[in-house]
Amino acid sequence: MTNHFTSYGRRLMIGAAFRSLIYLMTLSLLGLCASTVNAAPSALLIDNNFDQLEQFQMSYFVDKSGDMPISQVQNQRFTDSSNSINLGAEAKTTWAKIALKNTSDTPITLYLHNSYAYYNRAIELNEVVNGQVTRTRLLDMDIKDTQESMYQGTAVFDITLAPQQVTTLYLKNLAYIYQVFSLELYSQDASKRVLINQNNDITLIVGMILALIIYNFFLFLSSRLKEHLFYACYLVSGGFWIALSYGLFASFFDVFGSITLKWNIALGTMPICLLIFMINIFETRTKYPTEHKALLTVIAILATNSIYGLFDIIKALEYASTLAFIVLSISLCVTISMFVRKHPLALLFLIGHSLFITFSVLAVLFYQGRIGFSYISSHGVGIGILLESLVLSLIIANRIRALETLKASQAELQLLASTDPLTKLLNRRSFALEANQLLRQDKQIRHPLSLAILDIDFFKNINDTYGHGLGDRVIVRVADVLRQQCRHQDIVARYGGEEFVILMPNTSIEKAHVLAERIRKVLENATIHVDQQQLVNFTLSVGIAEVDPTTADLQAAIEQADKALYKAKNNGRNQSQLFVG
């Protein structure tokens, strides 16, 4: 029995020892994991040859309370990351931690850039050496006295590293909505170069959009087509948003802080203008009522959110991501519907809008912290606006070309309706319209007007002998001579089969007789080739009358000229006769 209890006790002792060993190993493993998580990235080594560091490892900590002091922040667990961070809307107060070691024997001054500083509400930089804060600087975007570190929208902090010493930077970023920042380290010369060349890409984008704005405003002023105005308004709001969101206003005008936050209310105008542009070019109000109601509903939602933003801009902007999804979804569905219905502009719009949607989705995911930091994701909306603007400009060009084609067709139809198809002179109806208009003008100023009727002699014999083809050639020859001999102010028309009429403003009957005789003599010497051996000559008879300036009665003048023509025919043809009342 004693041996039994002794054996049992021994087993208990061994089991307890084994459990203690497992427990100690577990604690060691957990401690190792914790130390790994808490371990900050290695200190960045800086020497006298330092020029720039634009990509490096650092760590960050999200302060949920929003007011944790630096002494407490130093003891928190930091998460390793790159030097560019986007953490979404749940990390409004974030600390970045960077350890720097001067490996040289002389002090080194370098410059920390925060190129997204204009996007933040405030920035606080603490320099810590051996656990003690040696220098603190506060940059508040709404307090002018603290803004000495702001240069063209970028926060620039000078940092002097003592020889052979480690300095740890704790940078506190307070965001309005989305936490986005990017930190870079530069020497003095490199810092100047970067500040000079920054925002060149955004300036180029805004410049291109500005050129399209000016062009479309001029198009609207010349054509009065609403689509140019709506497209220009879309470009204005899009260009404004790009300049505001990507630091161009901050760079050129030192505008940042709560002022620019309030200006974000203009964000809603961009999709509203785009939707109105869609309504106009697709003519949804008259042709597609379902799509029209959908677009109007989205416009109403956007307008409501913009009005709400006047009272709570931060909340309105937080809703912007959800609204963006609604706008993009409905506008895409309407565009696809137009494409299925074979609308001629739907394909181009679908291409442009798909580009905008693709890059905008990347931007939304970026600001929400769901995808990593890259140029395309951080500048997605701007790239999308530019690409869509360029494609929409093709739609505008297509519409201009279509309208020009339509106008040309209408002009051609009008020309066909007003001219004689054989001679291209005015026909009888158009002559009456233009002549009466001229007579109404001249009746007021009492200028003399004369009218001549010209008839080809023995034209029926020409047709019967040589055929209608040669007869048409004779008529064309007469028309050509009339165009050559008459003045630009004279109204010339083919009045009937072989009859022509000329109304001569500011011309007495005697001067009209001179012109008629010149024309008659030119045609008297004209010949038409029947074939290589045979020629045909022909002549004209002309009757001339003066229009009564007191009545300006065109029909009376035509009847008088016709009587003079009858007299010329009876007197042997190939002559001009004046009407004598």
Side-chain angles (χ1 to χ4, degrees), residues 90-117:
E90 302 302 321
K92 290 186 172 61
T93 302
T94 300
W95 289 82
K97 180 180 178 182
I98 306 171
L100 304 172
K101 181 177 182 180
N102 181 0
T103 60
S104 71
D105 295 326
T106 58
I108 296 176
T109 299
L110 49 79
Y111 295 83
L112 176 69
H113 284 208
N114 185 345
S115 54
Y116 283 80

Side-chain angles (χ1 to χ4, degrees), residues 143-160:
I143 301 177
K144 192 71 176 177
D145 293 341
T146 68
Q147 295 173 7
E148 61 180 8
S149 299
M150 282 294 285
Y151 294 92
Q152 301 178 356
T154 297
V156 180
F157 298 100
D158 64 289
I159 300 160
T160 299

Side-chain angles (χ1 to χ4, degrees), residues 332-346:
L332 181 61
C333 289
V334 170
T335 306
I336 293 174
S337 174
M338 295 296 103
F339 179 73
V340 171
R341 294 168 185 264
K342 300 187 183 302
H343 193 284
L345 300 177

Side-chain angles (χ1 to χ4, degrees), residues 383-446:
I383 297 171
I385 291 172
L386 177 62
L387 293 178
E388 184 174 45
S389 299
L390 294 175
V391 176
L392 293 186
S393 69
L394 297 179
I395 292 178
I396 293 292
N398 185 286
R399 293 273 286 180
I400 292 173
R401 185 165 57 251
L403 289 173
E404 288 178 347
T405 302
L406 179 61
K407 287 180 180 179
S409 299
Q410 291 175 339
E412 186 176 355
L413 290 173
Q414 187 176 6
L415 181 64
L416 291 173
S418 63
T419 59
D420 170 59
L422 179 63
T423 63
K424 309 304 179 191
L425 297 175
L426 293 177
N427 57 28
R428 185 168 184 159
R429 178 176 173 275
S430 298
F431 171 78
L433 291 174
E434 291 199 18
N436 280 312
Q437 184 178 359
L438 179 63
L439 288 171
R440 283 192 295 270
Q441 295 173 355
D442 277 49
K443 183 179 179 180
Q444 298 174 354
I445 54 180
R446 300 297 180 89

Side-chain angles (χ1 to χ4, degrees), residues 61-73 76 92-95 121 124 172-174:
F61 160 69
V62 177
D63 177 9
K64 298 292 186 181
S65 68
D67 56 1
M68 190 177 293
I70 181 63
S71 58
Q72 192 174 345
V73 168
Q76 300 303 311
K92 290 186 172 61
T93 302
T94 300
W95 289 82
R121 186 176 67 188
E124 178 185 310
K172 180 181 181 181
N173 288 271
L174 280 76

Side-chain angles (χ1 to χ4, degrees), residues 515-533:
L515 175 61
E517 278 296 295
R518 186 166 68 245
I519 293 171
R520 186 188 64 78
K521 289 177 181 179
V522 170
L523 288 171
E524 183 181 31
N525 297 317
T527 57
I528 301 290
H529 285 269
V530 178
D531 51 38
Q532 292 184 348
Q533 288 80 28

Side-chain angles (χ1 to χ4, degrees), residues 130-203:
N130 297 324
Q132 299 297 316
V133 178
T134 59
R135 188 182 184 190
T136 299
R137 280 166 283 181
L138 174 66
L139 171 58
D140 191 311
M141 302 305 165
D142 289 330
I143 301 177
K144 192 71 176 177
D145 293 341
T146 68
Q147 295 173 7
E148 61 180 8
S149 299
M150 282 294 285
Y151 294 92
Q152 301 178 356
T154 297
V156 180
F157 298 100
D158 64 289
I159 300 160
T160 299
L161 304 178
Q164 301 296 330
Q165 182 175 280
V166 175
T167 301
T168 305
L169 308 179
Y170 287 88
L171 189 74
K172 180 181 181 181
N173 288 271
L174 280 76
Y176 283 109
I177 303 172
Y178 300 110
Q179 185 63 263
V180 177
F181 62 90
S182 181
L183 306 177
E184 297 89 25
L185 293 166
Y186 297 103
S187 65
Q188 185 176 32
D189 291 340
S191 176
K192 291 177 181 178
R193 289 196 306 269
V194 170
L195 290 174
I196 290 173
N197 295 319
Q198 71 177 357
N199 288 324
N200 287 344
D201 53 344
I202 304 303
T203 304

